[in-house]
């Protein structure tokens, strides 16, 4: 499908203020998009599983600011933020959520399964940790073709106890593959806290046995994420092998739409929202540093809201897939 | 216009729920993300968050109300610049914006249902070029070498494929010719390297992933089925995966249950995969080359017992065997026998024995199990009116069961006898020599089935 890459450009920003405003805008786009998705889910327009990224925006936005065109991105099913941050069009993503023909997968994939060859986004995978060997394979491809690309392979704290993660770590270290394993530690794998699931909770050290360096990062601070990302992307690009970046982050919503999140207190959520929200934190920085005004931030909010409203409209006006689509795309015709 | 707050669906199955209580009062300022109310769904009590900024202008459904249908307006939000007078402009709360696609299935019924394509017989071209005497092992090696010379994106990975020259010596010499970049020894890590191969294929490379035996592919089956087979469909045709998974399949000799199993029906079950099972050297070379060139994931089920057998093999780098076509190895009018892999040889042997009894069996080498060449099978059955299916694997939901269903569907009126299946016994493979022999098809069992469908006693 032909979709313009106008929303998020990967090009390096010209001045520091521009960079900060772009980070702000990109995070806000994800926040507003996800709120809109939650709303459409509530209206019955989105079905099945729908995992929102609200609270974790700084992780993907900071890393994409550090990445270069030609790098590849792969993640599991909490993936809408990653799609938008790689430059995928909000309309195409929202229309996939509603199962319409204008969606990135023509309505045949849904929330967890979207791809864009144009932006280097390789899914969107529904089986916990399956994307880790896949991302390692994308990194293998970068090295095989010598194209200087790096794979950013995202996994959650719930995925780190799957065996295939360590099979991947071993091969990536053995062959010095250009891959960044980004563990998005939002503290809960569905309803089970990290402490209840992991014998060792220092997730950045999970590559120790393979000699893979690991760094714990404040995943709620987009500037910190970008800085660490730049350093380790360069490391991987120089052929020095993989790294594990543990992004300490938090999701405000339940695991999926039908999760009432009774495994944590309201106070815990409110405290993070009040004190560590990645968007509010950056807004404060912008205002305190006189890099933006209340009005200019409001203007960004309006622009982002427009994008999301248009995406929501498109996701309802785009027709359902043609019935003949049932039998297409099973095999590539040789 | 004030924004309507609609009763949300908070689970995939919720149609109505209880509005337990409001956490905001009329006149309260609200920010996107604030918790507005608690809703009891069919599963749990959930918090409903605001999606818009403004002032809660009016509560339309009070706290405690039960059985509130999804998408009912429950409140109104005044946006920036609006005052209370705007509230009365919302006279009859319209649910137009809450149209769900639920109406669609009705339309679906009216439209003609799309049909899955039905196979038509395709004429087979027989090869008339130069040949050379080779083992199946050498034919497979040559297939890989030729395709690796053709396309720099093709590479081989697996356990012991490089320095050791292949656990069964299939990759002999490849490391010397192509070097360690393209002939890659992996650790013993099936799920890992199968997934890595699929990821490399997503990125545009063409991996050949060798399983030392297909028994070990069970460790990797999630990556084969969920990642390799389904992604093209789930991406709406965007994300291709051109990859070959190959290695010996089925019973070897005296290696017991965990190392003696046929995966034909396991993989042939899955849309999005192609599955081939060569018997002869010609099959092996032509099918493997076709598999490597194919833009889809292809499973190549080889057989250890065949690796050392010699055949005349086409000696032409352009020769391939098209995937999806069977080959009639022996023509006959009395009965049709379908077989694949090592069982083709056994079927031919049985056919020679039966010819002495006046039964002329037509032996179909299936070559490809998905797509299955149903047209060739059906045409043959229309001629012979009798069918015996042969496979080494278990009977339950096996390839023979599938072929029986196809023939019932497409050639029922031509059958003069019920279809019979000759399969491996429905037991894990025993180790003891006598029991192992008993668990597998042999000439006597096949001959007995053929005589039965021909209503003939043993001579």
């Amino acid at each position: 499908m032909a979709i313009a890459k106008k929303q998020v450009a990967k090009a390096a920003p010209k001045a520091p203020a521009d960079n900060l405003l772009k980070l702000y805008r990109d995070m806000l786009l994800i926040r507003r998009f996800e709120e809109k998705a939650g709303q459409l889910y509530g209206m019955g327009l989105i079905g099945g599983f729908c995992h929102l990224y609200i609270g974790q925006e700084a992780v993907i936005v900071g890393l994409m600011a550090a990445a270069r065109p030609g790098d590849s991105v792969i993640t599991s099913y909490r993936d809408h933020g990653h799609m938008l941050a790689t430059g995928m069009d909000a309309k195409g993503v929202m229309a996939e959520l509603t199962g319409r023909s204008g969606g990135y997968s023509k309505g045949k994939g849904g929330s967890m399964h979207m791809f864009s060859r144009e932006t280097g986004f390789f899914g969107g995978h529904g089986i916990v940790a399956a994307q880790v060997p896949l991302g390692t394979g994308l990194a293998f491809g970068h090295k095989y073709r010598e194209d200087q690309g790096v794979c950013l392979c995202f996994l959650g704290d719930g995925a780190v106890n799957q065996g295939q993660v360590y099979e991947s770590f071993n091969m990536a270290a053995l062959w010095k593959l250009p891959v960044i394993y980004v563990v998005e530690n939002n503290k809960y794998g569905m309803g089970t806290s990290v402490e209840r699931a992991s014998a060792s909770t220092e997730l950045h050290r999970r590559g120790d046995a393979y000699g893979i360096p690991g760094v714990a990062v404040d995943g709620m601070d987009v500037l910190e994420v970008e800085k660490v990302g730049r350093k380790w992307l360069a490391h991987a690009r120089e052929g020095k092998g993989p790294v594990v970046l543990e992004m300490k982050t938090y999701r405000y919503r339940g695991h999926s739409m039908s999760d009432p999140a009774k495994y944590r207190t309201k106070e815990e959520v409110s405290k993070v929202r009040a004190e560590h929200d990645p968007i509010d934190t950056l807004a404060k920085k912008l205002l305190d540093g006189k890099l933006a005004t209340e009005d200019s931030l409001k203007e960004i909010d309006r622009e982002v809201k427009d994008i999301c409203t248009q995406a929501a409209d498109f996701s309802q006006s785009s027709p359902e897939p043609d019935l003949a689509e049932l039998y297409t795309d099973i095999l590539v015709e040789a | 216009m004030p924004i309507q707050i609609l009763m949300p669906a908070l689970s995939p199955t919720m149609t109505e729920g209880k509005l337990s209580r409001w956490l905001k009062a009329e006149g309260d300022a609200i920010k996107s993300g604030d918790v507005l109310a608690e809703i009891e769904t069919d599963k749990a009590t959930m918090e409903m968050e605001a999606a818009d900024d403004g002032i809660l202008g009016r509560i339309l459904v009070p706290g405690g109300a039960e059985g509130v249908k999804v998408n009912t307006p429950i409140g109104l939000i005044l946006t920036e610049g609006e005052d209370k007078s705007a509230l009365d402009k919302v006279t009859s709360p319209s649910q137009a914006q809450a149209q769900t696609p639920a109406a669609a299935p009705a339309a679906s019924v009216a439209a003609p249902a799309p049909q899955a394509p039905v196979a038509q017989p395709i004429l087979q071209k027989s090869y008339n070029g130069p040949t050379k005497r080779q083992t199946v092992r050498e034919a497979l090696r040559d297939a890989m070498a030729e395709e690796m010379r053709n396309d720099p994106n093709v590479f081989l990975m697996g356990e012991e494929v490089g320095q050791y020259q292949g656990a069964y010596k299939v990759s002999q010499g490849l490391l010397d010719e192509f070097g360690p970049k393209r002939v890659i020894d992996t650790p013993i890590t099936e799920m890992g390297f199968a997934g890595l191969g699929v990821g490399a294929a997503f990125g545009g490379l063409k991996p050949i992933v060798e399983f030392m035996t297909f028994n070990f592919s069970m460790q990797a089956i999630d990556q084969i089925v969920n990642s390799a087979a389904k992604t093209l469909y789930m991406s709406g045709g965007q994300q291709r995966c051109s990859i070959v998974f190959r290695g010996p399949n089925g019973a070897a000799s005296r290696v017991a249950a965990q190392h003696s199993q046929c995966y034909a029906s396991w993989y042939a079950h899955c849309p999005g995969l192609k599955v081939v099972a060569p018997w002869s050297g010609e099959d092996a070379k032509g099918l493997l080359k076709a598999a490597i060139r194919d833009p889809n994931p292809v499973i190549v089920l080889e057989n250890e017992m065949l690796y050392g057998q010699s055949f005349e093999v086409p000696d032409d780098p352009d020769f391939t065997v098209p995937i999806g076509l069977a080959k009639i190895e022996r023509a006959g009018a009395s009965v049709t026998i379908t077989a694949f892999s090592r069982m083709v040889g056994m079927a031919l042997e049985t056919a020679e024995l039966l010819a002495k009894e006046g039964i002329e069996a037509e032996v179909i080498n299936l070559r490809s199990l998905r797509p299955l060449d149903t047209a060739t099978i059906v045409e043959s059955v229309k001629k012979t009116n009798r069918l015996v299916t042969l496979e080494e694997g278990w009977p339950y939901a096996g390839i023979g069961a599938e072929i029986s269903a196809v023939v019932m569907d497409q050639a029922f009126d031509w059958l003069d006898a019920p279809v019979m299946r000759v399969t491996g016994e429905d037991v894990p493979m025993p180790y003891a020599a006598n029991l192992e022999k008993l668990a597998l098809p042999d000439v006597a069992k096949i001959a007995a089935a053929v005589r039965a469908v021909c209503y003939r006693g043993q001579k």
Side-chain angles (χ1 to χ4, degrees), chain B residues 303-337:
Chain B
N303 188 292
E304 184 195 334
M305 317 276 270
L306 292 172
Y307 282 156
Q309 286 194 22
S310 294
F311 293 86
E312 285 300 318
V313 180
D315 188 16
D316 173 357
D318 291 329
F319 170 77
T320 61
V321 168
I323 296 175
L325 292 188
K327 183 185 179 192
I328 296 171
E329 297 284 353
R330 183 189 194 280
S334 318
V335 59
T336 301
I337 305 175

Side-chain angles (χ1 to χ4, degrees), chain A residues 35 74 231 237 295 302:
Chain A
E35 286 168 355
I74 189 166
K231 175 181 168 184
R237 238 183 275 288
D295 280 347
R302 259 193 293 276

Side-chain angles (χ1 to χ4, degrees), chain A residues 66 68 71 148 150 178 180 227-241 243:
Chain A
R68 289 205 316 222
D71 291 343
Q148 298 298 303
V150 175
I180 313 273
K227 193 176 92 186
V228 174
R230 279 189 195 284
K231 175 181 168 184
W232 290 100
L233 275 156
H235 180 268
R237 238 183 275 288
E238 285 160 18
K240 293 179 181 164
V243 63

Side-chain angles (χ1 to χ4, degrees), chain B residues 140 167-168 170 210-216 246-252 259 261 263 300-305 307:
Chain B
L140 292 166
Y168 296 97
V170 173
E210 176 177 311
F211 290 118
M212 190 181 286
T213 86
F214 260 94
N215 298 290
F216 310 148
R246 51 156 289 271
N249 170 66
H259 287 73
Q261 186 169 333
Y263 286 87
V300 182
L301 301 171
E302 300 161 7
N303 188 292
E304 184 195 334
M305 317 276 270
Y307 282 156

Side-chain angles (χ1 to χ4, degrees), chain B residues 120-201:
Chain B
Q120 298 297 321
I122 298 168
L123 283 178
Q124 300 166 43
K125 276 184 278 180
S126 54
Y127 176 81
N128 293 316
T131 61
K132 67 176 166 188
R133 192 87 186 154
Q134 272 191 317
T135 60
V136 167
R137 174 182 284 118
E138 290 162 338
L140 292 166
R141 192 260 331 271
D142 284 0
M144 289 191 280
E146 287 174 14
E147 293 309 303
M148 287 174 78
R149 282 173 210 136
N150 264 345
D151 184 346
N153 284 329
V154 178
F155 69 94
L156 171 67
M157 70 189 304
E159 293 154 8
E160 310 291 6
V161 298
Q163 291 189 16
Y164 195 91
Q165 306 289 322
Y168 296 97
K169 298 286 177 279
V170 173
S171 53
Q172 195 145 35
L174 295 182
L175 178 64
D176 289 344
E177 182 175 351
F178 299 102
K181 181 181 170 183
R182 297 180 68 193
V183 180
I184 299 150
D185 283 318
T186 66
I188 302 168
T189 186
E190 277 83 10
M191 193 176 200
F193 69 69
L196 187 150
V198 174

Side-chain angles (χ1 to χ4, degrees), chain A residues 35 42 144 167 253 266 320 332, chain B residues 9 32 47 49 104 189 192 296:
Chain A
E35 286 168 355
Y144 188 97
E167 297 192 29
R253 298 292 188 97
K266 278 182 192 168
E320 288 190 293
V332 178
Chain B
S32 164
E47 289 174 347
E49 293 182 6
T189 186
N296 298 288

